[in-house]
Amino acid sequence: MYCRRSSDDDHGTYYRSQRLSCVDGEYFFATRENRWLGPFYTREDAEQQLNLYIHRMQLAERGAQFGQQLAAQAQHPDEP
């Protein structure tokens, strides 16, 4: 599944690449920011932590959008 962040460009073709890697029997996953997180001792642990990481990033994005909406409303409190 491909998800576009609000900060991503609207143009271009994007392909999801493999995010999991095994090095010396330990698993790591890559973020969009080119950071490798780990080590995890099983592929299942790495996949679970990757899913949790994606969920946290989505929540943070929604929180940032909500904060921007609140700030805009505070600047113009009389508008609906």
Side-chain angles (χ1 to χ4, degrees):
M1 178 173 101
Y2 169 73
C3 293
R4 190 179 73 77
R5 296 180 290 189
S6 62
S7 61
D8 289 342
D9 292 332
D10 286 334
H11 61 284
T13 302
Y14 302 93
Y15 299 96
R16 184 171 188 150
S17 63
Q18 182 65 11
R19 287 189 167 187
L20 292 177
S21 181
C22 183
V23 177
D24 294 330
E26 296 179 319
Y27 290 87
F28 298 81
F29 67 83
T31 67
R32 288 184 175 179
E33 295 78 25
N34 292 321
R35 291 183 53 213
W36 287 94
L37 300 180
F40 304 99
Y41 297 107
T42 67
R43 182 178 182 87
E44 292 78 20
D45 287 343
E47 289 172 345
Q48 181 182 25
Q49 291 302 315
L50 171 59
N51 289 331
L52 289 171
Y53 176 83
I54 291 170
H55 182 70
R56 285 192 305 269
M57 293 301 107
Q58 290 171 341
L59 289 175
E61 171 116 5
R62 284 188 220 134
Q65 291 171 351
F66 182 69
Q68 290 170 352
Q69 291 172 350
L70 287 178
Q73 289 175 359
Q75 289 176 351
H76 306 285
D78 297 333
E79 294 180 12

